[in-house]
């Protein structure tokens, strides 16, 4: 038996179930930590494959884990399934479907596996850090390598995801009648606006590839009152957490200057976000080889490719990890988080890509268990990347 061939055959045979599951999740978008329907769909499908499923792991009601295989190294395949306020505009239903189909393919040759496959449901990627919680609570103990694949508008074997920091600001001024006695007040909104302008001026000085963006969550109470309280949120992103933190400190400097200029006070809350993604190139190259053999090259991304952030970054600082991206749109047709992407996440092209990616992931996972040299070189690379 050719294991790669058998994995692909089993995934093709499972296609209808994987597509139906992914479509059902797409039709019931659920926000972070509330993905009850999605978790039910996926755990039900895993049980139908004959897997024993642990639900509500690590104290997260929608996280789950099922494992099979033999004693030996362990590879985790992650299913994300949370949606955004505009629906499945990040296509996490396709991540879930690809993971499920990959697991079905690997399960079909379970007696031939030289180690363990862990199918894990990881909630709340969109701002909830589900994987960070799972990892910190020990749910990934004993896992040697983790993988998943994310839909996008391009096909790349790695996603150079950025590290993030969050800054929340609260300005307190003094309320006054905006027409009768504006001189009695100090405007928390003026401080807010100056902060955004100051951050825009600072932008020139941030290193290439970094980002800072924010929203005003409270812009004042009434247009005829000098605003006494305003609030906003910024996110800084950079190639390393260290630099994202430096950028967050610069945002705070801007806010303090604005507070001083407007006679207001500012309260700051800074929080570390996701870490940057350290792609394991040995494993990513193997994934790329399988993808190419399936008819779709998945090259290294070009330098400077615009990218987002993911809690898979945090996982990649603790173990071997890959996070390839697969195209469900062409450039110009919309990308992640845009309204147009919702439709593409439930399209024939999207499901074809999902099944193909499931095969490439499953064959890569199989190889990691079957080829001690591949796992050893991936481990050596990981050790070096964490040291440097
Ligand atoms: Zn996403």
């Amino acid at each position: 038996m050719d294991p790669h061939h058998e994995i692909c055959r089993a995934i093709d045979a499972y296609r209808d179930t994987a597509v139906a599951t992914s479509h059902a999740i797409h039709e019931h978008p659920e926000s972070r930590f509330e993905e009850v329907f999605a978790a039910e769909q996926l755990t039900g499908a895993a049980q139908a494959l004959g897997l024993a499923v642990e639900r509500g792991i690590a104290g997260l009601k929608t996280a789950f884990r099922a494992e099979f295989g033999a004693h030996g190294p362990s590879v985790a395949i992650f299913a994300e399934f949370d949606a955004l306020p505009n629906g499945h505009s990040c296509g996490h239903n396709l991540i879930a479907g690809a993971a499920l189909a990959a697991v079905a393919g690997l399960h079909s040759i379970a007696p031939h596996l030289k180690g363990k496959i862990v199918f894990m449901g990881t909630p709340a990627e969109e701002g909830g850090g589900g994987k960070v919680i799972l990892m910190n609570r020990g749910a990934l103990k004993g896992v040697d390598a983790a993988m998943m694949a994310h839909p996008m508008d391009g096909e790349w074997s790695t996603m150079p995801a950025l590290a993030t920091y969050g800054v929340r600001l609260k300005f307190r001024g003094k309320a006054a009648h905006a027409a009768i006695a504006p001189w009695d007040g100090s405007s928390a909104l003026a401080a807010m606006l100056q902060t955004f302008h100051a951050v825009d001026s600072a932008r020139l000085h941030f290193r290439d590839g970094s980002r800072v963006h924010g929203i005003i969550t409270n812009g004042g109470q009434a247009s005829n009152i000098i605003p006494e309280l305003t609030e906003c949120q910024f996110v800084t992103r950079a190639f390393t957490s260290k630099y994202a933190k430096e950028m967050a400190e610069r945002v705070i400097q801007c806010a303090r200057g604005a507070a001083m200029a407007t006679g207001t006070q500012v309260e700051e809350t800074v929080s570390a976000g996701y870490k940057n993604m350290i792609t394991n190139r040995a494993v990513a190259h193997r994934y790329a080889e399988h993808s190419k053999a399936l008819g779709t090259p998945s090259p290294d991304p070009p330098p400077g490719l615009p990218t987002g952030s993911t809690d898979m970054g945090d996982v990649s600082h603790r173990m071997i990890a890959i996070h390839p991206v697969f195209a469900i749109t062409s450039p110009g047709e919309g990308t992640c988080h845009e309204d147009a992407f919702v439709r593409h996440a439930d399209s024939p092209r999207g499901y074809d890509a999902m099944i193909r990616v499931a095969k490439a992931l499953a064959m890569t996972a199989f190889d990691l268990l079957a080829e001690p040299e591949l796992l050893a070189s991936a481990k050596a690379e990981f050790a070096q990347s964490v040291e440097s």
Side-chain angles (χ1 to χ4, degrees):
M1 178 208 61
D2 174 355
H4 290 151
H5 188 264
E6 174 52 28
I7 286 170
C8 292
R9 189 206 60 74
I11 291 174
D12 281 332
Y14 194 71
R15 180 190 170 102
D16 289 352
T17 308
V19 169
T21 307
S22 179
H23 172 72
I25 294 170
H26 184 273
E27 295 304 289
H28 292 79
E30 297 162 307
S31 328
R32 58 188 182 205
F33 297 120
E34 299 301 329
E35 316 92 335
V36 176
F37 176 84
E40 269 173 22
Q41 293 290 307
L42 292 163
T43 53
Q47 273 181 328
L49 284 170
L51 301 180
V53 183
E54 283 177 80
R55 292 183 170 83
I57 60 169
L60 298 177
K61 71 180 174 192
T62 55
F64 63 85
R65 176 186 169 112
E67 60 179 56
F68 57 93
H71 187 71
S74 171
V75 175
I77 299 177
F78 290 155
E80 291 177 3
F81 35 67
D82 56 329
L84 284 155
N86 59 349
H88 270 290
S89 60
C90 208
H92 291 187
N93 60 301
L94 297 177
I95 300 176
L100 175 65
V103 163
L106 287 158
H107 190 253
S108 74
I109 55 156
H112 302 281
L113 295 174
K114 304 276 189 295
K116 204 182 292 173
I117 296 296
V118 178
F119 177 36
M120 189 170 284
T122 62
E125 189 281 326
E126 296 291 354
K131 295 184 197 66
V132 184
I133 298 169
L134 285 163
M135 206 162 47
N136 290 342
R137 294 182 182 169
L140 288 173
K141 207 162 168 274
V143 172
D144 295 287
M147 57 178 67
M148 57 171 283
H150 197 299
M152 207 158 269
D153 59 354
E155 188 86 31
W156 310 110
S157 61
T158 70
M159 184 176 97
L162 300 173
T164 64
Y165 255 78
V167 181
R168 284 171 186 262
L169 301 170
K170 197 180 270 191
F171 291 96
R172 289 183 196 281
K174 185 164 176 282
H177 194 295
I180 297 174
W183 36 83
D184 285 343
S186 53
S187 172
L189 180 60
M192 173 72 72
L193 297 174
Q194 289 199 26
T195 300
F196 274 78
H197 290 312
V199 169
D200 281 338
S201 301
R203 204 181 290 280
L204 171 66
H205 307 285
F206 291 136
R207 291 188 183 279
D208 292 352
S210 53
R211 297 275 191 275
V212 55
H213 40 91
I215 56 167
I216 297 173
T217 52
N218 178 1
Q221 291 66 52
S223 57
N224 58 4
I225 302 174
I226 300 293
E228 67 171 341
L229 175 72
T230 57
E231 292 163 283
C232 69
Q233 299 172 4
F234 282 96
V235 175
T236 63
R237 306 195 199 218
F239 293 123
T240 63
S241 295
K242 185 168 174 280
Y243 192 63
K245 188 177 180 206
E246 279 176 39
M247 291 170 68
E249 283 159 4
R250 185 67 180 266
V251 169
I252 287 170
Q253 230 177 6
C254 294
R256 288 180 183 168
M260 187 185 286
T262 53
T264 60
Q265 257 97 49
V266 61
E267 272 171 49
E268 311 119 4
T269 313
V270 177
S271 50
Y274 294 159
K275 293 196 165 112
N276 56 297
M277 180 77 203
I278 304 175
T279 291
N280 193 284
R281 304 186 68 78
V283 183
H285 283 158
R286 180 58 62 96
Y287 170 88
E289 279 172 23
H290 286 308
S291 184
K292 195 174 177 190
L294 291 165
T296 303
S298 180
D300 286 346
L305 179 81
T307 180
S309 306
T310 168
D311 57 3
M312 194 64 170
D314 292 69
V315 174
S316 76
H317 284 248
R318 301 268 283 273
M319 65 188 65
I320 297 162
I322 62 164
H323 184 286
V325 297
F326 57 97
I328 64 165
T329 61
S330 301
E333 289 179 348
T335 190
C336 300
H337 294 202
E338 295 176 7
D339 290 347
F341 210 68
V342 176
R343 176 167 51 80
H344 294 292
D346 182 42
S347 66
R349 180 178 177 179
Y351 291 126
D352 284 348
M354 176 183 92
I355 293 298
R356 169 175 56 76
V357 159
K359 292 175 184 174
L361 282 176
M363 290 191 282
T364 306
F366 176 85
D367 294 348
L368 267 171
L369 301 182
E371 297 176 28
E373 350 39 279
L374 177 62
L375 184 60
S377 67
K379 275 188 173 168
E381 183 187 326
F382 172 73
Q384 205 175 25
S385 68
V386 171
E387 266 170 34
S388 58

PDB file of all heavy atoms in Angstrom, residues 287-300:
ATOM      1  N   TYR A 287       5.479  20.222   3.025  1.00  0.00           N
ATOM      2  CA  TYR A 287       4.095  20.566   2.662  1.00  0.00           C
ATOM      3  C   TYR A 287       4.051  21.101   1.221  1.00  0.00           C
ATOM      4  O   TYR A 287       3.191  20.716   0.417  1.00  0.00           O
ATOM      5  CB  TYR A 287       3.529  21.615   3.636  1.00  0.00           C
ATOM      6  CG  TYR A 287       2.208  22.183   3.197  1.00  0.00           C
ATOM      7  CD1 TYR A 287       1.012  21.582   3.554  1.00  0.00           C
ATOM      8  CD2 TYR A 287       2.150  23.325   2.388  1.00  0.00           C
ATOM      9  CE1 TYR A 287      -0.215  22.096   3.111  1.00  0.00           C
ATOM     10  CE2 TYR A 287       0.939  23.842   1.938  1.00  0.00           C
ATOM     11  CZ  TYR A 287      -0.234  23.224   2.309  1.00  0.00           C
ATOM     12  OH  TYR A 287      -1.437  23.727   1.870  1.00  0.00           O
ATOM     13  N   ALA A 288       5.018  21.974   0.896  1.00  0.00           N
ATOM     14  CA  ALA A 288       5.042  22.587  -0.447  1.00  0.00           C
ATOM     15  C   ALA A 288       5.249  21.530  -1.528  1.00  0.00           C
ATOM     16  O   ALA A 288       4.644  21.604  -2.609  1.00  0.00           O
ATOM     17  CB  ALA A 288       6.139  23.645  -0.520  1.00  0.00           C
ATOM     18  N   GLU A 289       6.077  20.531  -1.222  1.00  0.00           N
ATOM     19  CA  GLU A 289       6.307  19.448  -2.202  1.00  0.00           C
ATOM     20  C   GLU A 289       5.007  18.691  -2.473  1.00  0.00           C
ATOM     21  O   GLU A 289       4.668  18.382  -3.619  1.00  0.00           O
ATOM     22  CB  GLU A 289       7.352  18.468  -1.664  1.00  0.00           C
ATOM     23  CG  GLU A 289       8.785  18.937  -1.851  1.00  0.00           C
ATOM     24  CD  GLU A 289       9.785  18.039  -1.129  1.00  0.00           C
ATOM     25  OE1 GLU A 289       9.466  16.856  -0.855  1.00  0.00           O
ATOM     26  OE2 GLU A 289      10.881  18.545  -0.825  1.00  0.00           O
ATOM     27  N   HIS A 290       4.284  18.396  -1.385  1.00  0.00           N
ATOM     28  CA  HIS A 290       3.018  17.666  -1.568  1.00  0.00           C
ATOM     29  C   HIS A 290       2.007  18.517  -2.329  1.00  0.00           C
ATOM     30  O   HIS A 290       1.284  18.019  -3.186  1.00  0.00           O
ATOM     31  CB  HIS A 290       2.442  17.251  -0.207  1.00  0.00           C
ATOM     32  CG  HIS A 290       3.187  16.111   0.415  1.00  0.00           C
ATOM     33  ND1 HIS A 290       3.433  14.927  -0.257  1.00  0.00           N
ATOM     34  CD2 HIS A 290       3.743  15.962   1.651  1.00  0.00           C
ATOM     35  CE1 HIS A 290       4.107  14.105   0.540  1.00  0.00           C
ATOM     36  NE2 HIS A 290       4.317  14.704   1.691  1.00  0.00           N
ATOM     37  N   SER A 291       1.965  19.803  -2.002  1.00  0.00           N
ATOM     38  CA  SER A 291       1.022  20.692  -2.674  1.00  0.00           C
ATOM     39  C   SER A 291       1.329  20.748  -4.181  1.00  0.00           C
ATOM     40  O   SER A 291       0.421  20.675  -5.018  1.00  0.00           O
ATOM     41  CB  SER A 291       1.097  22.083  -2.043  1.00  0.00           C
ATOM     42  OG  SER A 291       0.129  22.915  -2.613  1.00  0.00           O
ATOM     43  N   LYS A 292       2.620  20.853  -4.490  1.00  0.00           N
ATOM     44  CA  LYS A 292       3.024  20.915  -5.906  1.00  0.00           C
ATOM     45  C   LYS A 292       2.643  19.624  -6.628  1.00  0.00           C
ATOM     46  O   LYS A 292       2.128  19.642  -7.751  1.00  0.00           O
ATOM     47  CB  LYS A 292       4.538  21.142  -5.981  1.00  0.00           C
ATOM     48  CG  LYS A 292       5.000  21.567  -7.340  1.00  0.00           C
ATOM     49  CD  LYS A 292       6.469  21.908  -7.336  1.00  0.00           C
ATOM     50  CE  LYS A 292       6.903  22.252  -8.753  1.00  0.00           C
ATOM     51  NZ  LYS A 292       8.350  22.368  -8.864  1.00  0.00           N
ATOM     52  N   ALA A 293       2.880  18.490  -5.958  1.00  0.00           N
ATOM     53  CA  ALA A 293       2.539  17.200  -6.574  1.00  0.00           C
ATOM     54  C   ALA A 293       1.031  17.087  -6.806  1.00  0.00           C
ATOM     55  O   ALA A 293       0.590  16.381  -7.716  1.00  0.00           O
ATOM     56  CB  ALA A 293       3.032  16.057  -5.689  1.00  0.00           C
ATOM     57  N   LEU A 294       0.257  17.801  -5.994  1.00  0.00           N
ATOM     58  CA  LEU A 294      -1.199  17.785  -6.170  1.00  0.00           C
ATOM     59  C   LEU A 294      -1.649  18.797  -7.231  1.00  0.00           C
ATOM     60  O   LEU A 294      -2.836  18.970  -7.475  1.00  0.00           O
ATOM     61  CB  LEU A 294      -1.899  18.101  -4.841  1.00  0.00           C
ATOM     62  CG  LEU A 294      -1.786  17.010  -3.755  1.00  0.00           C
ATOM     63  CD1 LEU A 294      -2.181  17.571  -2.386  1.00  0.00           C
ATOM     64  CD2 LEU A 294      -2.653  15.798  -4.098  1.00  0.00           C
ATOM     65  N   GLY A 295      -0.673  19.506  -7.796  1.00  0.00           N
ATOM     66  CA  GLY A 295      -0.991  20.390  -8.917  1.00  0.00           C
ATOM     67  C   GLY A 295      -1.009  21.868  -8.593  1.00  0.00           C
ATOM     68  O   GLY A 295      -1.272  22.685  -9.464  1.00  0.00           O
ATOM     69  N   THR A 296      -0.759  22.231  -7.328  1.00  0.00           N
ATOM     70  CA  THR A 296      -0.778  23.650  -6.958  1.00  0.00           C
ATOM     71  C   THR A 296       0.505  24.014  -6.223  1.00  0.00           C
ATOM     72  O   THR A 296       0.666  23.657  -5.061  1.00  0.00           O
ATOM     73  CB  THR A 296      -1.992  23.960  -6.057  1.00  0.00           C
ATOM     74  OG1 THR A 296      -3.174  23.565  -6.748  1.00  0.00           O
ATOM     75  CG2 THR A 296      -2.078  25.438  -5.734  1.00  0.00           C
ATOM     76  N   PRO A 297       1.419  24.708  -6.888  1.00  0.00           N
ATOM     77  CA  PRO A 297       2.636  25.122  -6.188  1.00  0.00           C
ATOM     78  C   PRO A 297       2.300  26.034  -5.007  1.00  0.00           C
ATOM     79  O   PRO A 297       1.374  26.847  -5.075  1.00  0.00           O
ATOM     80  CB  PRO A 297       3.419  25.899  -7.261  1.00  0.00           C
ATOM     81  CG  PRO A 297       2.821  25.484  -8.559  1.00  0.00           C
ATOM     82  CD  PRO A 297       1.396  25.126  -8.283  1.00  0.00           C
ATOM     83  N   SER A 298       3.030  25.851  -3.918  1.00  0.00           N
ATOM     84  CA  SER A 298       2.831  26.660  -2.710  1.00  0.00           C
ATOM     85  C   SER A 298       4.197  27.194  -2.285  1.00  0.00           C
ATOM     86  O   SER A 298       4.828  26.690  -1.377  1.00  0.00           O
ATOM     87  CB  SER A 298       2.214  25.767  -1.615  1.00  0.00           C
ATOM     88  OG  SER A 298       2.005  26.484  -0.436  1.00  0.00           O
ATOM     89  N   PRO A 299       4.666  28.212  -2.995  1.00  0.00           N
ATOM     90  CA  PRO A 299       6.049  28.682  -2.775  1.00  0.00           C
ATOM     91  C   PRO A 299       6.201  29.495  -1.495  1.00  0.00           C
ATOM     92  O   PRO A 299       5.215  29.811  -0.817  1.00  0.00           O
ATOM     93  CB  PRO A 299       6.302  29.561  -3.999  1.00  0.00           C
ATOM     94  CG  PRO A 299       4.954  30.043  -4.410  1.00  0.00           C
ATOM     95  CD  PRO A 299       3.959  28.988  -4.024  1.00  0.00           C
ATOM     96  N   ASP A 300       7.450  29.851  -1.193  1.00  0.00           N
ATOM     97  CA  ASP A 300       7.714  30.803  -0.111  1.00  0.00           C
ATOM     98  C   ASP A 300       7.087  32.142  -0.512  1.00  0.00           C
ATOM     99  O   ASP A 300       7.113  32.511  -1.690  1.00  0.00           O
ATOM    100  CB  ASP A 300       9.225  31.031   0.045  1.00  0.00           C
ATOM    101  CG  ASP A 300       9.904  29.845   0.706  1.00  0.00           C
ATOM    102  OD1 ASP A 300       9.186  28.990   1.279  1.00  0.00           O
ATOM    103  OD2 ASP A 300      11.146  29.766   0.641  1.00  0.00           O
TER     104      ASP A 300
END
